[in-house]
């Protein structure tokens, strides 16, 4: 490019940088608002922790009657639970506010975000950033840590490396599901419960071994909505267990690629939904 020629300010890299900056500013605003009432923050965070811990209590109650669930003992189920809870909890903390988009579309308040000089996706993702959701992440991390002290794993270098890969990739996959669900709300408008079925419902599904579900369902969450790459496929490799569908072992390392692919598809869906948006006119 010749010296002195104009540079397009809204390049792809500039768009990403501006989105990150807008997200950080909006999230920081909500964090400051939250920390103005520290006692309330502590109580709501503990409440979030306690509410999610009841999910694991239900699993422990099951094991008071059985020795294994789908062939998995309690420490291995806790391993699956912890991975799913931490991955989903991180995604819920980062962009869990996406399920409010339908309300903004219905009442027309999305228009106020469209006129601001910042990417709409970043604004919606950071809207009402809830730091109390750290309670879910903390609870999942504690269960995961406990399971690692009890589960019998032959720790090799590749299994150790796969642990952080699982958590980061799982968070990315759930983030993509949040964005895709929000894009659907541009059309359906009142579809937050449909979105929750795939986000909150998805993490509940992954907390149990794949062997307790019908193979048709396992195929669906492996090849259609690839939630199995959050923890089922890589976790069975770490645990040394066969996957119910008899897939090759190298797919345990596919979660980063799946996360990138899901993110790209979710981005396309978001742009299509945003282009189709028509203001309420009010």
């Amino acid at each position: 490019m010749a010296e002195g020629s104009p540079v397009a300010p809204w390049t792809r890299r500039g768009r990403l940088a501006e989105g990150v900056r807008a997200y950080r500013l909006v999230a920081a605003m909500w964090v400051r608002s939250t920390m103005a009432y520290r006692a309330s923050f502590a109580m709501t965070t503990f409440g979030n922790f306690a509410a999610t811990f009841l999910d694991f209590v239900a699993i422990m109650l099951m094991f008071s009657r059985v020795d294994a669930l789908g062939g998995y003992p309690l420490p291995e189920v806790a391993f699956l639970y912890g991975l799913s809870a931490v991955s989903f909890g991180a995604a819920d903390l980062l962009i869990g506010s996406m399920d409010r988009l339908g309300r903004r579309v219905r009442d027309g308040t999305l228009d106020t975000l469209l006129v601001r000089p910042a990417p709409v996706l970043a604004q919606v993702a950071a809207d009402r950033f809830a730091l109390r959701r750290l309670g879910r992440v903390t609870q999942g991390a504690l269960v995961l840590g406990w399971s690692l002290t009890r589960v019998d794993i032959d720790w090799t270098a590749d299994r150790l490396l796969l642990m952080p890969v699982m958590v980061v990739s799982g968070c990315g996959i759930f983030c993509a599901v949040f964005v895709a669900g929000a894009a659907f709300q541009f059309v359906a408008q009142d579809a937050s419960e449909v979105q929750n079925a795939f986000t909150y419902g998805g993490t509940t599904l992954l907390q149990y071994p794949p062997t307790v579900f019908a193979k048709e369902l396992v195929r669906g969450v492996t090849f259609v909505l690839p939630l199995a790459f959050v923890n089922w496929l890589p976790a069975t490799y770490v645990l040394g267990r066969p996957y119910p569908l008899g897939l090759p072992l190298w797919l345990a390392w596919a979660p980063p690629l799946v996360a990138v692919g899901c993110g790209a598809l979710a981005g396309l869906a978001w742009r299509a939904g945003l282009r189709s948006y028509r203001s309420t006119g009010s």
Side-chain angles (χ1 to χ4, degrees):
M1 182 178 294
E3 185 177 353
S5 60
V7 179
W10 206 243
T11 61
R12 190 177 298 273
R13 182 176 298 178
R15 195 184 289 261
L16 177 61
E18 185 65 20
V20 171
R21 179 176 179 273
Y23 177 91
R24 180 173 55 81
L25 291 174
V26 175
M29 176 190 69
W30 285 106
V31 170
R32 288 195 299 271
S33 174
T34 299
M35 298 311 292
Y37 304 94
R38 295 178 183 273
S40 174
F41 164 70
M43 288 187 290
T44 55
T45 302
F46 177 77
N48 189 272
F49 175 94
T52 53
F53 183 69
L54 291 177
D55 293 337
F56 189 64
V57 169
I59 294 175
M60 291 191 294
L61 290 175
M62 292 182 193
F63 277 94
S64 68
R65 298 294 182 181
V66 298
D67 295 326
L69 192 62
Y72 285 64
L74 178 58
E76 293 185 353
V77 174
F79 182 68
L80 295 176
Y81 177 98
L83 287 171
S84 174
V86 172
S87 297
F88 175 77
D92 189 40
L93 173 66
L94 292 173
I95 63 172
S97 299
M98 297 294 294
D99 59 2
R100 293 191 177 92
L101 180 66
R103 188 181 310 166
R104 282 190 172 277
V105 171
R106 291 194 304 274
D107 60 23
T109 56
L110 183 63
D111 294 359
T112 61
L113 305 185
L114 292 172
V115 299
R116 293 174 182 170
V120 179
L121 178 58
Q123 296 182 71
V124 175
D127 184 37
R128 297 188 178 275
F129 184 86
L131 200 59
R132 67 178 183 278
R133 290 171 178 157
L134 281 172
R136 178 186 292 272
V137 181
T138 303
Q139 185 266 337
L142 289 175
V143 173
L144 179 60
W146 176 83
S147 71
L148 291 175
T149 66
R150 300 300 182 93
V151 75
D152 184 19
I153 297 177
D154 179 19
W155 288 110
T156 57
D158 58 338
R159 285 187 169 95
L160 286 171
L161 180 60
L162 196 54
M163 290 296 296
V165 170
M166 272 192 284
V167 173
V168 175
S169 300
C171 175
I173 292 171
F174 273 122
C175 284
V177 176
F178 269 111
V179 173
F184 178 66
Q185 292 190 52
F186 278 114
V187 179
Q189 297 186 10
D190 191 15
S192 60
E193 294 305 320
V194 176
Q195 179 177 346
N196 291 342
F198 292 101
T199 52
Y200 292 92
T203 188
T204 301
L205 176 77
L206 297 176
Q207 290 169 0
Y208 295 90
T211 50
V212 304
F213 300 104
K215 285 193 175 182
E216 290 75 15
L217 178 60
V218 176
R219 290 191 184 97
V221 296
T222 302
F223 301 113
V224 181
L225 183 65
L227 293 176
F229 289 88
V230 172
N231 67 342
W232 278 358
L233 272 162
T236 52
Y237 174 79
V238 172
L239 294 172
R241 288 185 170 272
Y243 194 64
L245 303 182
L247 299 176
L249 292 178
W250 61 265
L251 281 177
W253 293 92
L257 296 177
V258 173
V260 171
C262 289
L265 292 174
L268 291 175
W270 172 264
R271 286 192 288 272
L274 193 59
R275 285 196 298 268
S276 69
Y277 172 70
R278 297 293 180 268
S279 173
T280 59
S282 58

